[in-house]
Amino acid sequence: MLGLFVAQVLNGLLDGTYYLLIALGLSLIFSLGGIINLAHGAFFAIGAYLAITIAPFAGFFGALVLVPLLVAGLGMATERTLFTRFYRADPLYSLLLTFGLAMVIEQGLRWIFGASPQSFNMPEILRGQVFFGDFIYSRYRIFLIVVAVVTVGALWVLLNRTAFGRIVRAGVQNPEIVGALGISLRPYLSVVAGIGIGLAGLAGVLLAPIYTIHPAMGAEIITLAFVVVVIGGLGSFWGVIIAAVLVGLTKGLLVAVGLSSWSTAAIYLLMFVVLMLRPRGLLGERILRFE
Amino acid sequence: MTTTNSTRRGFLRTGAAGLALGVAAPTYLRAQSAPLKIGHLTPTTGFLGPLGEYAQMGIKLAVQHINDNGGAGGRQVELIMEDSVNPQTASTKAERMFERDRVDMIVGEISSASCLTISQVAARYKKCFVNTGGNSDSLRGKDCNRYMFHVETQNSMYVNAEGQFFDGKGLVDGKNWYTMTADYAFGHDLLAAAKAFLDANGGNLIGDELVPTDATDFSSYLLKIRQAEPDVVALNLAGTQITNFLKQYGEFGLDFTLGGFGFDTVSAWAAGARNFRGTWPNVWNHLVPNDASQAFVRAFVDAYGKPPENQAWGDYNAGLIMARAVAEAGDAGGDALADYLESPEAQFDLMKTRKGYFRPSDHQLIQEIYAITALPADEVQNKWDIFTTSDPLPGPDQPLETLATSVTGGTCSL
């Protein structure tokens, strides 16, 4: 019984990495431009559909490289044509815009690929299970976690150890001063939106072999991503990471103790408790309007 | 071109021939010219959207075939299709279809909750509603009404059929079952029927997980199932959850016998040959080996480029049944149709071995169903034929009604 409990804790910790990939992009885009991107899940769906389209030609690993780049390109185009009009405006406008965008993308996928779910297999080399004593885990998920950790690590280096990152962080803190220094934030905003949305695309490719690929799959995952971002604190890198792990853990443990029907409700409860105690989220910046 | 023509002819000769005659014959007696209007409501968006898409393809093909064969009692059929969305919208749209579009009946729906609201509107207008996808027992129980008919099989029939199949394999009596249940009315309904079946046949339920309807990841459940080592894992899940579960079941290398009580072929196709496994109940599938079924499959493939899903079968047959009912009753009013559909002569060729009929006590279409079993991945030739189908259930020596005996008790009073 103890073995199972440990297994569930471990699984819960690992589970968090899926939410992380999507939530981090969401948080990144919000912190720089103030855009609450409700279409983030739709880009995740685009990633999955691009994966099934490209994989027959480029293979799974080819798709794993190409798709995030393509989705990032789409993200930058979206930023240039749509987001840019709503920076520093009431978040309500961008909320409506991206909500509409999400619906357009979902319907577009339905037109192109049909409503029926598509099948997609993981590559043979990643099939199978790995045993750690009594704990069984799928080889594919280990690969998924490695990719996620490497990506998140690279992102951290980019934001914290490069000139690009310094300007982005300065832009988050105080866009006016960055502007006064003669640095235009515009291209940085585009790149950040590209990276954020590209992460959603990457998650789409990675989850395609283990989740159902259907036009509404983005809507399924976006709510959880928002919960993670809110718990972690909008705009906080480490906050999102901690929150993702916390959410995975909560879910796994409730299933372990036989309260599976509460596993989703508990995550919202967790969010509620965090917001009651710390409206800015675990590691979020102080939001003057709410505190 | 010749292929299409011969297919059309093949279709006429076989399955539809008898039905077409029934539809067309009264034409010569009463030349009615006003078109028959069929309203079709089904969800085409959301998690039932994939099934709804097949439902629409099915009814469109039915209307085309009916009109090609002289219409319903000589009346050409007009089809009005809409996305039912959710129970509230379904009810509003049903109202509008009767009031503004003047439809003679409504066919369709998959969500049991929407079936309920549509049937209430239909009853108010004294028009028929033919349910082609709602499984809930309560629609045939406390929520039944005179104008609602069910082409879709009900939950307890699926449980009985699937149970019978597993019982035949020695996997019920004294065996340990682990169930995964979608935490809403549909899942609870199935679970109640499954528990009743296991109790009656000596099976043990050693674990049941109530899964929130928005859960997409099953890893924590899979670890528990692995620990419990059941003989059979049975799913009472719905829609994309079944596909997610199938994909992840294989991913975690579990190989307990897998099955479930509610199922649609689209879930198998979405999981793909590598991931699909187990045995599942099915109202009909594209591999059913008789001429009528195969003619329907060819006509469907010609029209849409892919084989029909069981939901397409449901809406197609509902269309044909109602066209014949209008022809036989000589009227499209709800009372005339209900009288005919309840009568002993209302027997329908459903592309199965035995004819089906609506049980007068609750309007359930009593019919044979099938169990489909996944083929081993290395025996699969194409992405559609990834399972084998059982012979019709119940077996030829048993009366059709054996499957339809409710294990949870019928409470319908019409």
Side-chain angles (χ1 to χ4, degrees), chain A residues 8 124 138 141 211-212 260, chain B residues 217 220 244 247 251 274:
Chain A
Q8 292 288 10
E124 271 321 300
S138 98
R141 281 187 199 220
Y211 281 10
T212 311
S260 53
Chain B
D217 187 84
S220 16
N244 279 357
K247 282 180 150 185
E251 190 203 346
R274 292 280 342 204

Side-chain angles (χ1 to χ4, degrees), chain A residues 223-289:
Chain A
T223 326
L224 264 176
F226 266 104
V227 171
V228 167
V229 171
V230 169
I231 292 176
L234 278 168
S236 159
F237 187 90
W238 289 107
V240 171
I241 293 179
I242 293 170
V245 168
L246 214 55
V247 164
L249 212 53
T250 309
K251 205 182 65 129
L253 287 182
L254 279 163
V255 173
V257 298
L259 293 171
S260 53
S261 58
W262 288 90
S263 56
T264 303
I267 292 166
Y268 295 108
L269 197 66
L270 180 71
M271 176 171 82
F272 177 73
V273 171
V274 168
L275 284 182
M276 287 291 284
L277 301 174
R278 273 180 79 87
R280 65 179 101 151
L282 292 175
L283 299 178
E285 298 287 325
R286 180 175 286 266
I287 301 172
L288 290 173
R289 237 192 300 170

Side-chain angles (χ1 to χ4, degrees), chain A residues 1 4 7-8 11 15 18-19 106-107 110 114-122 124 127-129 131 134-138 140-141 208-214 216 220 251-252 255-258 260-264 268, chain B residues 44-47 49-50 53-54 57 183 208-224 226-227 240-245 247-254 266 269-275 306 383:
Chain A
M1 211 52 218
L4 179 64
Q8 292 288 10
N11 180 56
D15 240 14
Y18 320 142
Y19 311 131
E106 185 184 323
Q107 193 58 40
R110 195 170 281 127
S116 304
Q118 310 278 326
S119 69
F120 184 58
N121 287 323
M122 58 183 69
E124 271 321 300
R127 197 170 276 280
Q129 296 79 40
F131 287 86
D134 198 36
F135 179 52
I136 185 176
Y137 214 59
S138 98
Y140 184 79
R141 281 187 199 220
I210 52 174
Y211 281 10
T212 311
I213 305 163
H214 64 121
E220 260 172 20
K251 205 182 65 129
V255 173
V257 298
S260 53
S261 58
W262 288 90
S263 56
T264 303
Y268 295 108
Chain B
T44 55
T45 47
F47 82 111
E53 194 183 42
Y54 277 103
M57 291 191 273
D183 194 8
D208 177 59
E209 300 285 344
L210 282 178
V211 183
T213 49
D214 52 356
T216 48
D217 187 84
F218 292 95
S219 52
S220 16
Y221 300 96
L222 294 169
L223 294 172
K224 271 188 99 172
R226 182 175 168 269
Q227 189 86 4
T240 54
Q241 281 196 320
I242 296 181
T243 309
N244 279 357
F245 188 90
K247 282 180 150 185
Q248 295 168 23
Y249 195 75
E251 190 203 346
F252 275 77
L254 269 58
V266 71
W269 290 333
R274 292 280 342 204
N275 299 306
K306 54 181 173 184
K383 68 176 187 170

